Amino acid sequence: MRAQFRSRIRLVLGVVIFIALCIIVRLYFIQIVHGQEYSQKADRQFASGGSGLFDRGSVYFSRKDGTLISAATLATGFLVAINPQTIRDPETAYAALRASVPDAVSRDAFLAAAAKKNQVYIEVAHRLSDAEGKTLADRDIPGVQVLRERWRQYPGASLAAQSIGIVSYGSGDMLAGRTGLEATYDDTLSRSGDSLYKNFFAELFSNVGNLLVAARDAREGDIVTTIEPEVQTRLEDDIAKVNRKYSSKESGGIIMDPATGAILAIAKYPSYDANVLRDVAPELLGNPLVEHVHEFGSIMKPLTMTSGLDAGAITPATTYNDTGCITVNTARICNWDLKARGVIPMKQIIVQSLNVGAAWIATQLGQEDFRAYFTKLFGSKTGIDLPNEGGALLGNLMKPQQIGYDTAAYGQGIAVTPVQMVRALGAIANGGVMVEPHLASAVRLNSGITRTLDWSRTIPVFSAEAARETTEMMTAVVDEKLQDGKARIPTMSVAAKTGTAQLTDGRGGYHTDRFFHSFVGFFPSYSPRFIILLYTNDPQHVTYAADTLSPSFLDLVHFLIDYYAVPPDRGFATSTPE
């Protein structure tokens, strides 16, 4: 009996302790985790009784040391509403309003609202500061209400604006994410009106055994991105300088970890300030690096080369007779300078950027194999976590004419998105394996748990040997050719390729004096930390990408080496070539 009594006492004591722990944890979440939200809900002297305060999760940049920096958050202030039926003297009310908040609303707009005597509630001013709102409330103007409000704020203004996205009204008069990560993760960032009162234990203990979730399977929380704010700032500054210098239509760039697909920076110029949308052109709100396709030119040649090497159609020692120009299906293909090189090895196709050589590889590979490689590289979307991803235009590879394959080999006649291009070229940097480009790395749930998003899917495309052989050729571009060899870094191997493509004229042909410039590179060459893709569309009074983009590429390389303290991968003995 005594043993049974002791067991019952222990059971009751255990239940009491468990309940006490639950209460303590719940109090922690109420007072610490959600203290600000409850405080604002309790602030009834300023909050509107008719609608709840806007609530939404945050988006964060991630510094290199793991520190989170706010990219999208909530700002709190006041709005001003009037009841036209209780305003006795609109002029006096407006004068009192202007005395407290000079720029809140124009006189004409205020008087027009006050004249609508059939209404009882009209909002006339938004986003007042705490000081302005409380000063106005203390005046106690008849018919004027001062109410709490919250709105979306982007501390970085234009920083990564086209990737972070915006929140705005849509159908149903609901605020929701409309572009960028705000749209992709809207279900995660959105908050229901009773979210503060949900049983957090259901979230805390659900799926405890699986903390890795698919990108679309996350629940309410904050989004942690892979975007590094210092790297993003540097990339945006560099592409803006290029665009302004050459009066391009637009310029853009991506910096990605080729081993994981984590995007550290993605930018397009011109952009916009996400806090000031009134005068922003709608076409600026999307992300062209994900949505728009381009013919990239010669940065496609490394993919042609690696395909030929992987298939065994060529080896690095293979030679061909470069005649400067060839005729294919009655069309003429020529090297950029129209000059013949004679009998040369494969490396020179990359180093000297020879169109005839790339076309020769395509012929050796054969149409079926060429189509198979390029369909694997570009035939599907990347799955990046940004909305409205575009797809490649590969129609010329579905036709029997050889000209379509030969021109595709050097980056004309097929069009792909910048994010598709960086993923494909990243396969060369990553030992022949394509990864999933992404911007979100984790979701911080309201329970306090951080769930890592799963981006582990990979697509093998090339053998590691073929990828390394092409890498050696691309490294020679920097060591021997770029800026006449002066771009070579004695302590760091860098692989790169320039691209210059003629722009289409809209009539089935190409302009002879308008170009799309691109540049790709990764380093250290044989164990890459970063891959960089840059482009500028229709630069004026300049022909080659080596002139427009190589300074920016090299600036970014040196910045990343210093910022991340990337250790040297080759010795100091060899001097930079003159």
Side-chain angles (χ1 to χ4, degrees):
M1 291 294 292
R2 289 182 179 179
Q4 290 180 347
F5 181 74
R6 283 196 297 267
S7 297
R8 290 174 181 171
I9 291 296
R10 289 171 181 169
L11 178 61
V12 171
L13 183 60
V15 171
V16 170
I17 292 173
F18 177 76
I19 293 173
L21 286 173
C22 290
I23 293 172
I24 291 170
V25 173
R26 184 57 180 162
L27 287 173
Y28 168 80
F29 273 83
I30 291 173
Q31 294 180 350
I32 306 299
V33 177
H34 298 301
Q36 183 178 2
E37 288 93 328
Y38 280 107
S39 175
Q40 290 172 346
K41 282 181 176 290
D43 194 9
R44 302 314 297 174
Q45 68 269 34
F46 294 115
S48 168
S51 62
L53 289 170
F54 173 61
D55 194 13
R56 188 171 178 84
S58 297
V59 181
Y60 294 99
F61 296 128
S62 298
R63 290 180 60 88
K64 64 177 181 178
D65 61 2
T67 303
L68 300 184
I69 305 295
S70 180
T73 186
L74 293 174
T76 303
F78 293 90
L79 66 85
V80 179
I82 63 171
N83 182 348
Q85 296 182 8
T86 59
I87 291 181
R88 293 187 294 272
D89 186 347
E91 289 283 3
T92 301
Y94 177 70
L97 173 60
R98 268 194 70 83
S100 300
V101 192
D103 300 321
V105 61
S106 71
R107 176 179 176 275
D108 290 344
F110 183 88
L111 295 180
K116 298 178 180 179
K117 297 300 182 179
N118 61 327
Q119 298 188 36
V120 296
Y121 180 88
I122 301 175
E123 294 177 1
V124 296
H126 289 272
R127 301 189 180 185
L128 277 64
S129 68
D130 279 0
E132 291 172 331
K134 290 175 180 177
T135 298
L136 183 59
D138 289 342
R139 287 181 173 270
D140 196 20
I141 306 169
V144 176
Q145 296 175 284
V146 182
L147 309 172
R148 275 285 185 190
E149 74 166 341
R150 284 193 300 202
W151 60 89
R152 201 58 160 166
Q153 185 176 60
Y154 301 92
S158 63
L159 192 66
Q162 289 161 323
S163 298
I164 300 301
I166 62 168
V167 171
S168 66
Y169 286 99
S171 59
D173 233 15
M174 293 290 292
L175 277 170
R178 304 301 173 187
T179 65
L181 295 174
E182 292 273 30
T184 301
Y185 295 99
D186 188 61
D187 288 345
T188 300
L189 294 167
S190 295
R191 298 289 185 266
S192 59
D194 62 345
S195 61
L196 292 178
Y197 303 99
K198 290 180 179 177
N199 183 356
F200 73 97
F201 287 106
E203 185 177 79
L204 183 63
F205 293 114
S206 64
N207 299 320
V208 171
N210 181 18
L211 295 182
L212 290 177
V213 294
R216 306 298 187 272
D217 192 36
R219 293 174 297 172
E220 273 189 16
D222 301 327
I223 299 298
V224 178
T225 76
T226 57
I227 297 174
E228 213 290 344
E230 295 297 330
V231 179
Q232 179 74 26
T233 299
R234 190 60 168 254
L235 176 62
E236 290 189 9
D237 288 347
D238 275 354
I239 64 171
K241 289 176 184 175
V242 169
N243 207 86
R244 288 193 291 262
K245 182 176 181 179
Y246 297 104
S247 301
S248 303
K249 285 186 176 178
E250 71 172 58
S251 301
I254 301 173
I255 301 176
M256 186 180 81
D257 181 340
T260 67
I263 292 177
L264 305 176
I266 177 170
K268 177 258 184 184
Y269 183 90
S271 185
Y272 63 91
D273 183 341
N275 295 310
V276 186
L277 297 175
R278 179 172 298 175
D279 299 321
V280 174
E283 59 268 20
L284 290 180
L285 296 176
N287 193 321
L289 292 107
V290 173
E291 300 174 17
H292 298 168
V293 297
H294 305 280
E295 297 183 33
F296 271 88
S298 291
I299 66 171
M300 196 71 77
K301 287 172 182 169
L303 296 172
T304 299
M305 179 67 70
T306 314
S307 299
L309 293 167
D310 185 67
I314 57 172
T315 72
T318 299
T319 61
Y320 80 105
N321 183 27
D322 188 286
T323 57
C325 289
I326 59 174
T327 300
V328 182
N329 299 131
T330 72
R332 193 165 173 81
I333 293 175
C334 293
N335 291 332
W336 60 274
D337 58 0
L338 306 179
K339 294 181 180 178
R341 267 65 175 184
V343 178
I344 54 173
M346 295 295 98
K347 171 184 171 182
Q348 294 305 315
I349 296 174
I350 299 297
V351 173
Q352 298 189 51
S353 197
L354 302 176
N355 293 345
V356 171
W360 185 85
I361 294 174
T363 300
Q364 305 310 303
L365 192 55
Q367 292 185 5
E368 185 176 343
D369 283 349
F370 189 97
R371 184 189 308 112
Y373 276 106
F374 273 60
T375 300
K376 197 168 189 178
L377 290 165
F378 301 116
S380 62
K381 297 178 181 180
T382 68
I384 189 172
D385 49 345
L386 287 174
N388 305 317
E389 182 178 4
L393 303 179
L394 305 177
N396 282 353
L397 302 185
M398 309 303 158
K399 301 175 182 178
Q401 291 80 10
Q402 184 62 32
I403 186 65
Y405 298 84
D406 287 2
T407 56
Y410 57 83
Q412 296 264 198
I414 62 173
V416 304
T417 65
V419 73
Q420 282 184 309
M421 198 72 201
V422 78
R423 179 180 74 148
L425 289 160
I428 299 174
N430 193 40
V433 178
M434 284 199 307
V435 294
E436 292 184 285
H438 60 276
L439 283 83
S441 61
V443 175
R444 297 201 320 177
L445 298 173
N446 289 340
S447 62
I449 293 175
T450 297
R451 288 187 168 181
T452 302
L453 299 179
D454 181 11
W455 298 104
S456 61
R457 187 175 68 93
T458 58
I459 302 175
V461 183
F462 308 120
S463 68
E465 180 182 5
R468 183 178 179 86
E469 289 167 347
T470 300
T471 297
E472 291 175 357
M473 299 177 191
M474 295 175 69
T475 302
V477 170
V478 178
D479 289 348
E480 302 171 16
K481 189 72 173 178
L482 194 63
Q483 297 183 347
D484 296 323
K486 294 177 183 177
R488 183 182 190 275
I489 302 176
T491 58
M492 183 69 64
S493 61
V494 180
K497 184 71 188 77
T498 61
T500 302
Q502 292 174 294
L503 289 172
T504 58
D505 61 10
R507 301 185 300 273
Y510 290 89
H511 292 286
T512 58
D513 58 350
R514 295 177 61 190
F515 306 95
F516 183 90
H517 290 181
S518 58
F519 199 114
V520 70
F522 51 86
F523 72 95
S525 294
Y526 305 102
S527 183
R529 292 274 305 275
F530 310 99
I531 182 169
I532 302 170
L533 175 73
L534 304 175
Y535 73 84
T536 188
N537 189 1
D538 201 14
Q540 302 300 299
H541 311 301
V542 62
T543 300
Y544 299 113
D547 298 319
T548 57
L549 295 175
S550 60
S552 293
F553 172 77
L554 294 170
D555 175 71
L556 289 166
V557 168
H558 286 286
F559 164 74
L560 291 168
I561 290 172
D562 293 340
Y563 186 60
Y564 285 92
V566 181
D569 72 330
R570 59 186 182 187
F572 293 81
T574 305
S575 61
T576 303
E578 297 297 327

